[in-house]
Every structure is written in C-alpha cells, then in structure tokens.
Amino acid sequence: MTEPGNRNDVNGAVSGSVLQARTVIAHTIAMAQPVARMPIPRQLPPPHPVWTNRARELATLDELAARATSTRALLTGLAGIGKTELAVRWLLGQRAGHPDGELYADLSAWRDQPPVRPHQVLAGWLRALGIPPDDLPDEPAELTALYRSVTAEKSLMVLVDNVFAAEQVRLLIPASPSSTI
C-alpha cells in the first residue's frame, strides 16, 4: 500500500522480486586489508664452516641453562678465540625452546668506529619484532619501555657481541624470563 502522493512505479523489464524503498542511504564499507605477518626474526650469524670441538663448553652452557629459570650468559676472553662462534652454535641448538626468534647485535666495541648505542639496536629489534617504524618513539626511555612490553610474553634468544661495558647490554635484556641472552 502506498501513501497518498507517493508513486510506486517500476521502470524497465523486471524478472523476479522487486525491492522498493522510500529513502536509500548509501554507506561505504571499507574492508581492512589483511595484515602481513612479520617473519620470525632469525638474526644470528650463520655458523662458521670450520669449528674446533668445544663439546665441553657447550655441555657447560647446557648444564647452566638446565639449572636456571632464566638464562643469562657472559662469555669473556681474548679476541679471536671463538666466543661468538661458541655462542652462535649453542644458541642454534636452543632454537626449539625459543619459538619467537633470535635477535643479534654487534656493538662494535673493539673496532675503529664508535660503539653502537643500545637505542639504535632497540629500534632495529623492534622493527624486526613487527613494530612499524612510524610507531617507534623518539625518546630512549620510551623506546626501552616499548621493547620491554613487546618482549614480556616472548621467548627469544638474544646475542649481543663485542660489548665494552655492562651499560650497553642492560637495556637489551628482554623482559620475559623465558628468553635467553
């Protein structure tokens, strides 16, 4: 039934049902594009093809990790004796227990260039963990806080190489106790 003064006409050839409406309001529905999933970061350097048997040192690291609720290891020694290679090989053996990936930074403490600042490392790591560059804060304290928030529920392996002082590493420790550094 039509109201007086309204017309109820259908123009053109019609086959099937007809829907008529007095007022039509157009809405635009934007479908969000699927978010591309970031790959799990795998930043450890590849193991060197030449490897001197360090079974005793690897076993010691395994033993220490088995006893600890969180693993923090410091390898010290003269340059060139294989500390980095030992750490890389041991961490690669721990990969299954750290499903959220591995992060690596060379802080360049013993090179002819200035040491890398922890906040430079954090910015790169946060991008690797899926934080868009535009969402990274400029303030070092805020960058550190974001890193702690992002890593709080993750199980990561972190290798920091060529460190000069403990202050360089403190800010790079993930918040999660299940992470290894």
Side-chain angles (χ1 to χ4, degrees):
M1 182 151 84
T2 62
E3 295 180 25
N6 289 333
R7 296 177 51 146
N8 194 7
D9 296 332
V10 176
N11 297 324
V14 176
S15 125
S17 302
V18 174
L19 172 67
Q20 293 180 308
R22 180 173 180 192
T23 305
V24 176
I25 300 172
H27 291 281
T28 303
I29 300 173
M31 300 298 289
Q33 293 295 323
V35 177
R37 186 161 187 238
M38 290 292 294
I40 294 172
R42 299 286 183 212
Q43 296 182 352
L44 289 178
H48 194 277
V50 178
W51 171 245
T52 301
N53 184 9
R54 296 285 183 102
R56 187 180 80 216
E57 290 85 354
L58 289 170
T60 300
L61 288 169
D62 285 339
E63 181 183 323
L64 292 171
R67 287 189 275 152
T69 56
S70 73
T71 306
R72 311 286 187 254
L74 172 66
L75 302 178
T76 63
L78 298 173
I81 64 170
K83 298 176 301 294
T84 301
E85 186 64 24
L86 175 64
V88 166
R89 297 232 177 207
W90 183 74
L91 288 170
L92 289 174
Q94 304 297 310
R95 186 178 266 176
H98 297 83
D100 297 313
E102 57 211 40
L103 302 172
Y104 173 79
D106 182 345
L107 299 186
S108 304
W110 310 113
R111 302 220 170 88
D112 291 335
Q113 56 195 22
V116 176
R117 303 186 72 198
H119 297 100
Q120 294 169 297
V121 173
L122 288 180
W125 284 357
L126 284 165
R127 286 190 301 273
L129 292 167
I131 304 299
D134 292 341
D135 292 346
L136 294 175
D138 294 328
E139 293 297 320
E142 292 176 16
L143 197 63
T144 301
L146 179 59
Y147 175 68
R148 298 287 158 99
S149 295
V150 168
T151 61
E153 302 296 323
K154 294 192 179 296
S155 181
L156 295 161
M157 294 186 297
V158 175
L159 177 57
V160 184
D161 203 4
N162 295 312
V163 176
F164 181 72
E167 294 79 37
Q168 288 182 288
V169 178
R170 278 195 192 101
L171 299 178
L172 305 178
I173 298 172
S176 170
S178 65
S179 291
T180 297
I181 183 167

